[in-house]
Amino acid sequence: MLSPGSVRNHVTAPSHVGKGTHMAHIGIIGSGIAGLHLGLALQQHGIDATIYSERTPEQLRARQLSNMVALNGCTRDRERELSVNHWDARSYDMPRLAVSVQGPRPFAFSGRMGAPAHAVDMRLYWAQLLEDFSARGGQVVIRTCHADHFASLAPRHDLVVVASGRTSLSTIFPRIAEHSPYTTPQRL
């Protein structure tokens, strides 16, 4: 059984990469944390990748704030491995977390983090990592991808990864009832 984060330690280039005739090229649909971290990790292993993003870094920064995300210890470790730890100063450390939810069934909890987390404005995070990927030689295509685009993307890449969670692409993967009791996202 794999523990969270263990897969990143086992990423290796395919046996044919760097041995002559064919260099692997991966297409990644989605420029959230998963797509960006995948693209950056592939670059570190000498594998070409293209990230398909719906927005440019400038458009990402100009958006209305949709959320703040706490980057926990394992994500911060991965950022260090990928050399994208732009918010790693101790002044950003969040050693404790307190949550209070009001409503018909209010609840609250608090605790000390095992490793300090950071709260980051995702507009800035996504934009910076997309620029990092591009600056390191990755190709970024600004385009909204739909399921009917897969046929045209497949011949361009050895593998196309859908790293999209909130857009219409997430609906192309049907829910498998025996693997999840939930029929809707479990958000507060």
Side-chain angles (χ1 to χ4, degrees):
M1 184 168 162
L2 294 173
S3 61
S6 65
V7 174
R8 74 172 182 271
N9 297 324
H10 300 287
V11 175
T12 57
S15 60
H16 64 270
V17 172
K19 294 196 167 96
T21 61
H22 180 76
M23 174 62 90
H25 191 277
I26 311 300
I28 303 166
I29 300 172
S31 59
I33 291 177
L36 290 165
H37 283 203
L38 174 60
L40 290 159
L42 290 169
Q43 283 180 327
Q44 281 189 334
H45 291 280
I47 300 172
D48 289 333
T50 298
I51 292 179
Y52 293 89
S53 175
E54 291 185 350
R55 294 177 180 86
T56 66
E58 296 78 19
Q59 290 170 327
L60 289 166
R61 287 186 187 97
R63 292 179 66 190
Q64 181 177 357
L65 179 64
S66 61
N67 61 344
M68 296 284 290
V69 173
L71 302 174
N72 293 312
C74 61
T75 302
R76 292 181 62 201
D77 288 344
R78 187 170 50 251
E79 289 172 346
R80 288 181 198 108
E81 290 173 15
L82 297 172
S83 298
V84 293
N85 51 322
H86 302 292
W87 298 272
D88 213 17
R90 289 186 55 93
S91 60
Y92 293 106
D93 281 0
M94 186 172 64
R96 297 188 59 81
L97 178 66
V99 176
S100 176
V101 177
Q102 303 302 311
R105 298 182 340 192
F107 66 93
F109 60 91
S110 66
R112 186 161 190 75
M113 310 284 261
H118 286 169
V120 178
D121 178 333
M122 291 311 291
R123 298 171 299 181
L124 303 177
Y125 187 86
W126 291 325
Q128 182 61 58
L129 269 61
L130 195 57
E131 288 173 342
D132 290 342
F133 176 79
S134 178
R136 295 174 187 182
Q139 183 177 6
V140 176
V141 175
I142 307 303
R143 161 184 192 179
T144 299
C145 291
H146 300 285
D148 57 348
H149 294 139
F150 290 173
S152 66
L153 293 178
R156 300 179 197 173
H157 307 286
D158 294 301
L159 173 70
V160 176
V161 176
V162 178
S164 171
R166 291 190 185 199
T167 66
S168 62
L169 288 179
S170 62
T171 62
I172 65 170
F173 303 104
R175 178 181 159 272
I176 302 172
E178 60 267 20
H179 294 296
S180 175
Y182 305 108
T183 57
T184 61
Q186 300 301 295
R187 298 186 179 107
L188 297 175

